[in-house]
């Protein structure tokens, strides 16, 4: 993958420095983002240095002090805006019941329902391109949190991650299933291929997962996000699989979604009761952050769904 296209003053100066043999890090630090989109694409690229990196940027930039400083400043303004969007208090009561009820009662637009009944072929492909930013590195942001946990929570999380990473079979990683589906659909299956095409809502969804995974103090939010993600995956995956079948998309793409119907019915129980349960047994003070992470997952998906449905309606 190459560095993305700039989307404003900050991303332009940062990306040209990433590519340059004579980078101007001070200029990067002294430039303000024009808007949220400029901030989010910059932050996405700074996080990306910790994942697969870019072919046109030196691997050593992963730990360039000015880029770490810039990342910390962008992620703190992003975290503040996520916290501003969240409710000021969270449900009481037994944790698992409270979280299941919280997610169940959350009411947002459903892209899965649209794909199920109404989407045309091009709209379905459009959604796959947007989703590819995450699914082609599925579970990687959650992997950051593993060494930040203690024994019981870590063991529980690894049971889930083992599935996401294919149970030891390189052909069965969920990211690999998705890549195969993309390829059969005639879409580009290289990681990050569609980064220049995705709206700010997709960047926010991806950046939130990296923010939570890469900061130990946010491990509660990371696991809360994971729980909400798994809790809202099984039934929507069935709807999407049925929608893609209706549209005659290739079996490999449908298989990615059917795999998630059963897997995520198991994963939601594991994530809520075993993973978050173990975390909160040990660290009850993280309860609010678990809810914050869960809320953020649902809220960012709502924003993305609104955006796509509005674009498709137009
Ligand atoms: Fe998965
Ligand atoms: Fe899952």
């Amino acid at each position: 993958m190459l560095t993305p296209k700039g989307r404003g003053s900050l991303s332009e100066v940062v990306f040209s420095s990433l590519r340059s043999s004579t980078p101007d890090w001070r200029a990067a630090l002294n430039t303000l983002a024009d808007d949220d989109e400029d901030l989010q694409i910059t932050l996405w690229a700074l996080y990306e240095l910790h994942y697969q990196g870019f072919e046109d940027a030196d691997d050593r930039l992963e730990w360039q002090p000015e880029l770490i400083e810039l990342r910390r400043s962008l992620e703190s303004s992003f975290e503040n805006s996520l916290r501003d969007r969240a409710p000021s208090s969270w449900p009481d009561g037994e944790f698992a019941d409270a979280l299941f009820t919280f997610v169940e009662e959350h009411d947002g637009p459903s892209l899965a329902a649209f794909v199920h009944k109404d989407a045309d072929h091009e709209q379905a492909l459009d959604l796959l391109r947007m989703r590819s930013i995450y699914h082609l590195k599925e579970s990687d942001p959650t992997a950051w949190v593993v060494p930040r946990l203690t024994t019981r929570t870590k063991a529980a999380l690894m049971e889930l991650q083992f599935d996401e990473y294919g149970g030891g079979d390189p052909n069965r990683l969920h990211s690999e299933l998705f890549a195969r589906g993309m390829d059969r659909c005639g879409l580009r299956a290289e990681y990050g291929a569609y980064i220049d095409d995705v709206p700010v809502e997709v960047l926010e969804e991806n950046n939130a997962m990296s923010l939570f995974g890469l900061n130990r103090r946010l491990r509660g939010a990371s696991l809360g996000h994971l729980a909400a993600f798994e809790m809202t995956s099984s039934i929507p995956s069935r709807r999407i699989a049925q929608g893609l079948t209706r549209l005659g998309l290739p079996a490999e793409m449908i298989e990615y979604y059917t795999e998630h119907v059963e897997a995520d019915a198991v994963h939601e129980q594991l994530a809520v009761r075993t993973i978050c349960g173990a975390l909160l047994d040990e660290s009850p003070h993280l309860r609010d952050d678990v809810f914050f992470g869960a809320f953020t997952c649902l809220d960012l998906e709502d924003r993305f769904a609104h955006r796509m449905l509005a674009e498709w309606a137009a």
Side-chain angles (χ1 to χ4, degrees):
M1 176 176 38
L2 298 173
T3 46
K5 286 202 184 93
R7 301 194 190 192
S9 315
L10 177 65
S11 48
E12 268 154 31
V13 70
V14 172
F15 299 167
S16 67
S17 281
L18 288 176
R19 292 187 290 261
S20 167
S21 53
T22 53
D24 186 354
W25 301 125
R26 282 288 126 195
L29 268 177
N30 291 327
T31 304
L32 289 175
D34 295 340
D35 52 22
D36 191 40
E37 184 163 359
D38 189 22
L39 183 153
Q40 294 295 336
I41 189 69
T42 308
L43 184 55
W44 184 85
L46 294 177
Y47 283 137
E48 201 46 49
L49 294 172
H50 298 292
Y51 292 94
Q52 303 284 323
F54 302 103
E55 284 163 52
D56 54 350
D58 193 318
D59 277 346
R60 283 171 293 194
L61 295 177
E62 182 177 359
W63 296 106
Q64 182 68 31
E66 294 89 344
L67 292 177
I68 302 293
E69 188 181 341
L70 176 62
R71 193 191 94 200
R72 290 194 59 190
S73 126
L74 301 181
E75 65 184 358
S76 101
S77 78
F78 181 40
E79 184 183 344
N80 288 340
S81 64
L82 293 178
R83 289 196 183 275
D84 285 346
R85 293 171 187 175
S88 52
S89 66
W90 303 108
D92 300 323
E94 195 272 324
F95 166 72
D97 288 348
L99 186 62
F100 274 111
T101 308
F102 179 73
V103 171
E104 228 161 75
E105 287 176 352
H106 181 91
D107 198 15
S110 168
L111 287 174
F114 184 77
V115 171
H116 186 200
K117 298 270 189 218
D118 302 312
D120 64 26
H121 191 261
E122 194 42 47
Q123 290 165 337
L125 295 187
D126 217 12
L127 182 64
L128 296 173
R129 285 187 205 100
M130 303 294 136
R131 294 286 195 218
S132 72
I133 305 303
Y134 176 63
H135 290 324
L136 293 175
K137 68 169 171 197
E138 188 157 322
S139 287
D140 288 352
T142 310
W144 295 124
V145 87
V146 174
R148 295 172 165 88
L149 302 172
T150 51
T151 313
R152 267 180 61 210
T153 317
K154 187 187 283 179
L157 177 57
M158 286 313 294
E159 187 182 342
L160 188 152
Q161 291 291 82
F162 187 65
D163 271 358
E164 302 285 347
Y165 286 134
D169 179 347
N171 297 307
R172 301 298 304 170
L173 275 82
H174 290 181
S175 57
E176 192 54 32
L177 298 179
F178 196 79
R180 223 157 33 227
M182 290 285 280
D183 186 58
R184 295 297 192 282
C185 288
L187 297 169
R188 292 174 62 191
E190 322 93 73
Y191 171 72
Y194 293 106
I195 192 62
D196 291 328
D197 303 330
V198 303
V200 65
E201 290 81 2
V202 172
L203 299 173
E204 287 198 343
E205 286 189 306
N206 281 271
N207 286 342
M209 287 187 268
S210 298
L211 166 69
F212 295 158
L214 278 167
N215 287 276
R216 185 174 60 248
R217 71 186 169 81
L218 296 173
R219 61 197 184 283
S222 177
L223 298 183
H225 184 290
L226 171 73
F229 195 98
E230 299 290 351
M231 288 158 92
T232 50
S233 172
S234 178
I235 295 168
S237 291
R238 174 176 289 124
R239 290 203 175 122
I240 292 177
Q242 288 168 345
L244 300 184
T245 306
R246 170 180 66 78
L247 292 165
L249 263 70
E252 289 82 356
M253 194 72 250
I254 296 163
E255 192 203 339
Y256 169 87
Y257 286 98
T258 49
E259 171 80 19
H260 282 80
V261 176
E262 272 190 36
D264 288 348
V266 176
H267 289 174
E268 70 171 21
Q269 297 295 328
L270 190 56
V272 177
R273 297 181 194 282
T274 320
I275 300 172
C276 291
L279 178 80
L280 295 180
D281 280 350
E282 272 188 5
S283 312
H285 66 285
L286 294 177
R287 186 184 154 113
D288 284 359
D289 263 1
V290 171
F291 275 95
F292 166 59
F295 168 81
T296 298
C297 175
L298 303 175
D299 181 57
L300 293 178
E301 177 59 18
D302 288 351
R303 289 163 190 266
F304 172 60
H306 277 298
R307 167 75 175 237
M308 296 309 289
L309 294 171
E311 273 184 20
W312 289 333

